[in-house]
Amino acid sequence: MDTDTIFSQLTAHFKEIIPLEETDIEIIIPALEIVHLKKKDFLLQEGQISKHMRFIAKGSLYAYYIDEKGRENTTQLGIENWWVNDLYSYLSGQPSRMFIQANEETTVIQISKENLEILYKEVPAVSDFWRLKMQSAYVTLQERTFEHSRVDAYTKYRNFVSTYRNIEQRFPQFMIASYLGITVEYLSYLRKKHLTDVS
């Protein structure tokens, strides 16, 4: 993907939520940075402070933390046109407690916190965009917290595959299982059950 195509992808994403004039886009583009990652490259590591908002233009990322037993616990999965970040670290300025890693060759557009604050003033619509995105992220977090404690594993799996179509094939089974809070073996069972139910 060439630079113009990558930036056009992000501006099109913005326009799905907010109106943007060509003059707005001319202000936004210089504030953006493109990062290319190879598979398994880290975008963020535990202990670092997240200072950017990150948009996936191509490829996929996953976020996870390592618990006291040394196990990876997947907290986020992301593919093209998704934002992936440690919002706690970004908003609080505290060191991250998670890792964000490329699941495949990935191209990310990032905007530094400093540049984003400037854009809020120069292009007010960008502020509206993030207000709406933050609201959506909070609602999603609340739904996931509720689902985690009150919904059975099969319902979680069905909700996952219906909400995030085509994502399951992009990630290894152990990541999907970790995200859902189940074992790989149980995920395999749920997949077979789901295929039987929908056939």
Side-chain angles (χ1 to χ4, degrees):
M1 297 172 71
D2 62 80
T3 301
D4 288 344
T5 301
I6 294 170
F7 287 151
S8 293
Q9 184 176 345
L10 178 57
T11 54
H13 176 73
F14 278 137
K15 287 179 178 180
E16 291 175 0
I17 299 176
I18 56 170
L20 283 180
E21 303 295 334
E22 193 60 38
T23 51
D24 296 327
I25 295 172
E26 290 172 359
I27 295 171
I28 292 170
I29 296 299
L32 307 177
E33 177 188 359
I34 296 175
V35 177
H36 297 287
L37 301 168
K38 295 178 182 177
K39 184 175 181 177
K40 296 191 177 181
D41 280 353
F42 287 99
L43 188 60
L44 181 73
Q45 296 194 59
E46 182 182 31
Q48 296 178 329
I49 297 173
S50 180
K51 298 180 180 179
H52 300 80
M53 295 304 294
R54 299 173 170 104
F55 174 82
I56 304 172
K58 178 186 177 184
S60 60
L61 297 169
Y62 66 106
Y64 63 93
Y65 69 91
I66 298 177
D67 64 23
E68 64 279 359
K69 294 182 179 179
R71 295 175 301 201
E72 286 187 14
N73 294 268
T74 305
T75 58
Q76 296 178 58
L77 302 170
I79 59 175
E80 290 85 1
N81 296 321
W82 290 22
W83 297 85
V84 173
N85 200 9
D86 179 350
L87 281 178
Y88 168 80
S89 177
Y90 178 86
L91 294 171
S92 69
Q94 297 298 309
S96 177
R97 294 173 286 191
M98 66 172 63
F99 299 84
I100 300 178
Q101 194 169 9
N103 176 56
E104 55 195 25
E105 189 171 316
T106 301
T107 299
V108 172
I109 303 173
Q110 60 182 27
I111 311 173
S112 71
K113 193 171 187 178
E114 181 181 354
N115 282 342
L116 197 51
E117 292 293 337
I118 293 171
L119 286 179
Y120 288 159
K121 298 174 183 177
E122 296 184 347
V123 186
V126 171
S127 179
D128 293 337
F129 174 86
W130 280 112
R131 175 177 54 81
L132 294 169
K133 292 298 285 186
M134 291 294 185
Q135 289 174 358
S136 176
Y138 181 75
V139 169
T140 299
L141 177 61
Q142 287 286 82
E143 288 177 343
R144 189 168 179 216
T145 301
F146 177 85
E147 186 178 80
H148 181 73
S149 59
R150 302 192 184 190
V151 176
D152 65 89
Y154 184 48
T155 303
K156 284 183 194 176
Y157 176 75
R158 284 191 306 161
N159 289 344
F160 175 78
V161 295
S162 63
T163 302
Y164 307 116
R165 296 183 183 278
N166 304 319
I167 194 174
E168 191 178 10
Q169 289 72 34
R170 301 282 296 275
F171 292 90
Q173 284 196 39
F174 78 88
M175 287 184 198
I176 303 291
S178 176
Y179 181 80
L180 294 173
I182 58 178
T183 65
V184 173
E185 292 77 16
Y186 197 44
L187 173 61
S188 180
Y189 164 75
L190 294 178
R191 276 176 146 171
K192 291 174 183 175
K193 176 177 171 54
H194 182 64
L195 287 173
T196 301
D197 289 349
V198 299
S199 61

